[in-house]
């Protein structure tokens, strides 16, 4: 059986392909979170923001039950504001990096941020 080999980590230029890859990777990540919770009896929480800013979330059932009893609406609102602000900051940094990257392009055409830059592209 042959292996596919390593996937080159760089931004997918085609918008449709990028969205399909995001959806497939997101579902795989959620499956792994569920498996980790089930197999290792771990409490797992996962937040994923789409490129459009839509929130996808997963929490193992035990942590959902415990947190629902202990938290009140004001704590959740504060958390939502913090997450929203973090997303805005990330988008601002991304725009600044793209602007400065466009002004000073290197001959290699590679992203100077490496794999980290790709993660910000997905966020």
């Amino acid at each position: 059986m042959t292996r596919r080999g390593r996937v080159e980590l760089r931004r997918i230029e085609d918008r449709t392909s990028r969205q399909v890859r995001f959806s497939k990777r997101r579902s795989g990540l959620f499956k792994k979170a569920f498996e980790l919770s089930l197999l290792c009896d771990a409490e797992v929480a996962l937040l994923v923001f789409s490129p459009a800013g839509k929130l996808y979330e997963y929490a193992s059932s035990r942590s959902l039950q415990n947190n629902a009893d202990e938290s009140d609406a004001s704590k959740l609102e504060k958390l939502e504001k913090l997450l929203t602000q973090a997303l805005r900051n990330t988008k601002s940094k991304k725009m600044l990096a793209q602007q400065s990257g466009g002004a000073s392009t290197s001959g290699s055409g590679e992203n100077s941020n490496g794999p980290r830059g790709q993660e910000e592209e997905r966020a």
Side-chain angles (χ1 to χ4, degrees):
M1 182 186 305
T2 61
R3 298 175 111 188
R4 290 185 182 199
R6 293 185 70 117
V7 175
E8 183 181 346
L9 294 179
R10 61 179 174 82
R11 183 174 190 268
I12 299 169
E13 296 301 323
D14 181 54
R15 187 176 184 176
T16 305
S17 298
R18 187 170 55 242
Q19 179 59 39
V20 168
R21 179 77 55 97
F22 173 80
S23 296
K24 287 182 178 182
R25 293 250 175 162
R26 184 191 70 233
S27 64
L29 186 61
F30 278 72
K31 181 179 177 183
K32 291 291 185 184
F34 169 75
E35 291 172 356
L36 179 64
S37 171
L38 185 69
L39 296 173
C40 301
D41 198 27
E43 292 190 37
V44 178
L46 178 63
L47 297 174
V48 177
F49 289 96
S50 73
K54 183 176 179 182
L55 172 65
Y56 297 91
E57 56 190 312
Y58 168 81
S60 55
S61 61
R62 203 175 53 208
S63 69
L64 271 178
Q65 292 167 353
N66 292 340
N67 288 337
D69 294 337
E70 297 171 6
S71 55
D72 61 322
S74 64
K75 287 182 183 177
L76 292 174
E77 287 176 11
K78 287 180 184 178
L79 179 59
E80 182 181 21
K81 288 178 184 177
L82 286 171
L83 289 171
T84 303
Q85 186 61 39
L87 181 60
R88 284 187 190 132
N89 289 343
T90 302
K91 286 182 177 181
S92 297
K93 288 178 184 178
K94 176 182 164 185
M95 288 179 60
L96 288 172
Q98 287 175 343
Q99 290 172 354
S100 65
S104 59
T105 57
S106 63
S108 65
E110 293 181 10
N111 186 349
S112 62
N113 291 335
R116 212 170 151 199
Q118 180 190 2
E119 292 302 319
E120 289 180 6
E121 292 291 292
R122 290 184 189 160

